[in-house]
Amino acid sequence: MTIKIHNTLTGKLDEFKSIQPEKVSLYTCGPTVYDYPHIGNWAAYIYWDVLVRILTINGYDVKRVMNITDVGHLVSDADEGEDKLEKGARREGKTAWKVAKFYTDVFLDGMKKLNLIEPSVITKATEYIPQQLDLVRQLKTKGVTYQIDDGIYFDTSKFASYADFAHLNLEELKAGARVEYNQQKRNPSDFALWKFTPEGEKRDMEWPTPTDLTSDGKERMGFPGWHIECSAMALSELGKTIDIHTGGIDHIPVHHTNEIAQSETANGVRFSNYWMHNNFLKVDGRKFSKSLGNGYTLDDLKKQGFTPLDFRMFLLQTHYRSEGNFTFDNLQSAHNRLHNWRNIAILRHQIHDTVTSDKERNDDEKTLSLYATSQAIIEAINNDLNTPEALSIIDEAFTKLQNTRLENINANALNQLLDTIDQTLGLELINNTPDISDESKQLIIKRNLARQNKDWNLSDKLRDELLDIGITLLDNQIGTIWQYTDK
Ligand code: AMP
Ligand code: ZN
């Protein structure tokens, strides 16, 4: 089966070909751990989780590296302003190290809640300082760096294809450069590889600047630029050329453009063959912003009665390259959809499998269509992670199942379909739909008997008893089935 990926590098839908057979190296730009991640941040990681899942289903052994930016990400992407970590430290009256540790743990915990597959390697920028300095050294040797008062910079005019990746207009950039841009820089697009701790200041996170990297040999403390971190970690863990690099669309013009410039200048080969970028999630049609107070976290959703998997379902309804719009109404619809899906998943506990032989299974048209549904889901996601398409394929199949008599549903085919949905979309349908207890089953049998005997009082009483323990009975054209009651 072929996987198609919209590649920012070519601007096209490209067929995916890995460098090594059956292996994929994947780098995901990870979180800056200075505050609680909002649901927009999580959007990115949910989409890339689906990417890992679909690659794995296609038989690839995926080595995925995700970094934790725990130093050097400045408030402005133009290398100006405070380090977000030091700012977080001031806000909370803790050291930057403590802040980083706290929010790294928050992030890892959120990953579990959202059922995100843990990357093969999680790299903290602060643990790769020697590798970052080494990369700066290589760039210095190539003659593309220069030093100004506040650090060592990359001269973007020395990388001929600098503007290509993001289709930048460098002339316009120059003309539009605001006054506050550091006038010592040779070009507005030049960026810091290593910044010096300002004289007279002491940062929580700082390292000695090797004197061979500076032009004057003076001893100074310093810290890495955000872009060099990703280049160095990707290089150390995955090699000079990687298969796929992912991030949000905000990374295209600066962060990823700079990663490419550094990595390709240092190594002389292409940095990544495929670049994938997720679009942004908005809230009520607006950007996330502190002043609007709309930077909802997973805890905020929980307070309104929604689970992380409700949010996961919500997000999968939008293609990763389309702009998403979060509203609590939309989240409610996603919650309802997930609830309905779980009620289909529990049919597997209620099927008395009457289709026994393989021959019968193969002859059974409904069984075949369930197997075909599994295939269609994979094909939709193979096509540039088309999760909305996969969701409508599932809805269609589930609507058919809702109208099929239980004895005509093949348990194996249903189980396989549920397994495919869980593997591709990570919605945990199987784990979240345990069978009911034997006592509850006895109550259902008693209630059905009462109903047959037209003992409506007893029948209603038992039905209410079941409702109290979260089980709803449905008497419809496919028979009497039980469902979970939505809370
Ligand atoms: P940060 O922690 O600020 O480095 O951001 C982590 C990731 O979240 C980055 O890959 C961003 O591109 C992504 N991101 C930030 N805001 C949004 C949003 N509203 N929608 C989707 N992705 C976002
Ligand atoms: Zn990065």
Side-chain angles (χ1 to χ4, degrees), residues 27-30 67 69 226-227 230-231 245-246 251 255-256 259:
Y27 187 89
T28 299
C29 283
N67 71 293
T69 305
W226 170 37
H227 321 301
C230 283
S231 285
H245 195 308
T246 67
H251 290 341
H255 184 52
H256 288 168
E259 278 189 45

Side-chain angles (χ1 to χ4, degrees), residues 28-35 37-45 47-48 67 69 73 84 107 226 246-251 255-256 277-283 286-288 315 324:
T28 299
C29 283
T32 309
V33 284
Y34 69 109
D35 207 343
H38 60 56
I39 52 175
N41 300 127
W42 285 121
Y45 303 105
Y47 288 131
W48 308 136
N67 71 293
T69 305
H73 192 170
K84 290 183 180 184
F107 188 81
W226 170 37
T246 67
I249 46 169
D250 53 324
H251 290 341
H255 184 52
H256 288 168
H277 291 99
N278 64 281
N279 206 324
F280 262 40
L281 183 64
K282 287 189 166 175
V283 179
R286 300 181 196 202
K287 282 186 173 176
F288 284 85
L315 201 80

Side-chain angles (χ1 to χ4, degrees), residues 125-141:
T126 49
E127 291 174 0
Y128 286 76
I129 300 295
Q131 292 87 335
Q132 292 156 30
L133 287 168
D134 208 46
L135 204 49
V136 179
R137 188 168 289 115
Q138 285 182 51
L139 293 170
K140 183 168 187 249
T141 313

Side-chain angles (χ1 to χ4, degrees), residues 209-267:
T209 308
T211 45
D212 67 306
L213 293 187
T214 60
S215 51
D216 51 14
K218 201 169 132 190
E219 302 222 339
R220 299 178 180 86
M221 298 302 275
F223 60 99
W226 170 37
H227 321 301
I228 198 81
E229 298 174 358
C230 283
S231 285
M233 292 184 276
L235 175 67
S236 314
E237 295 298 331
L238 297 171
K240 292 181 178 171
T241 302
I242 61 181
D243 286 305
I244 310 174
H245 195 308
T246 67
I249 46 169
D250 53 324
H251 290 341
I252 300 172
V254 181
H255 184 52
H256 288 168
T257 288
N258 293 348
E259 278 189 45
I260 292 172
Q262 303 160 148
S263 302
E264 300 195 355
T265 303
N267 301 322

Side-chain angles (χ1 to χ4, degrees), residues 301 304-307 309-315 317 325-340 486-487:
L301 305 192
Q304 305 283 327
F306 295 103
T307 65
L309 288 179
D310 290 335
F311 177 66
R312 188 172 172 119
M313 174 66 109
F314 158 79
L315 201 80
Q317 297 179 161
N325 188 30
F326 176 88
T327 64
F328 277 100
D329 282 347
N330 290 347
L331 185 61
Q332 181 65 49
S333 317
H335 166 91
N336 296 346
R337 195 177 201 169
L338 186 58
H339 180 72
N340 289 339
D486 197 4
K487 285 169 208 124

